[in-house]
Amino acid sequence: MIRVFEKLRRRVEEARQTPAPGPSASPGSGRARQRNLFEAAAVYVAACAENDVEKSAEAARWVSPEALGFGVNELACRAVIALARERDESPQTVARTLLGLPAA
């Protein structure tokens, strides 16, 4: 689990050092679209899963590192709960399996 957060921290640091593109405006509005932390977390995690460094760096710029960490944690919890229900297993069993850890 520590490796996951270390990877997240490195990606956020990389994103902070990469110059941000101009604001993405919604069509016809002339205003930048505000992103929330859950949208940033969803895009960030999906991009990491697809090994899309540019997209993960972009999503990391949408919110603070702390907010992104919170969103990623919330997404992980929801995903583990959903998989546990689907597999009829405990969340701990599912989490350990996903991380390649032996059964507790």
Side-chain angles (χ1 to χ4, degrees):
M1 191 65 168
I2 292 172
R3 282 185 266 158
V4 172
F5 286 111
E6 180 62 26
K7 185 176 178 181
L8 172 64
R9 186 192 63 74
R10 278 194 309 254
R11 293 262 181 132
V12 169
E13 286 301 316
E14 290 171 5
R16 294 275 180 220
Q17 295 171 1
T18 305
S24 59
S26 50
S29 73
R31 292 187 340 202
R33 182 169 175 259
Q34 186 71 7
R35 311 278 183 156
N36 72 40
L37 68 101
F38 295 117
E39 182 179 12
V43 171
Y44 178 83
V45 169
C48 288
E50 296 169 346
N51 205 24
D52 186 342
V53 176
E54 286 183 27
K55 190 69 171 178
S56 64
E58 178 187 345
R61 287 189 296 268
W62 295 346
V63 295
S64 72
E66 295 81 12
L68 183 61
F70 176 80
V72 168
N73 183 62
E74 186 65 23
L75 178 59
C77 290
R78 291 179 187 194
V80 167
I81 289 168
L83 282 172
R85 287 179 182 157
E86 183 179 294
R87 296 177 181 182
D88 197 27
E89 296 177 344
S90 74
Q92 181 179 15
T93 300
V94 170
R96 294 182 71 81
T97 300
L98 289 172
L99 292 171
L101 300 172

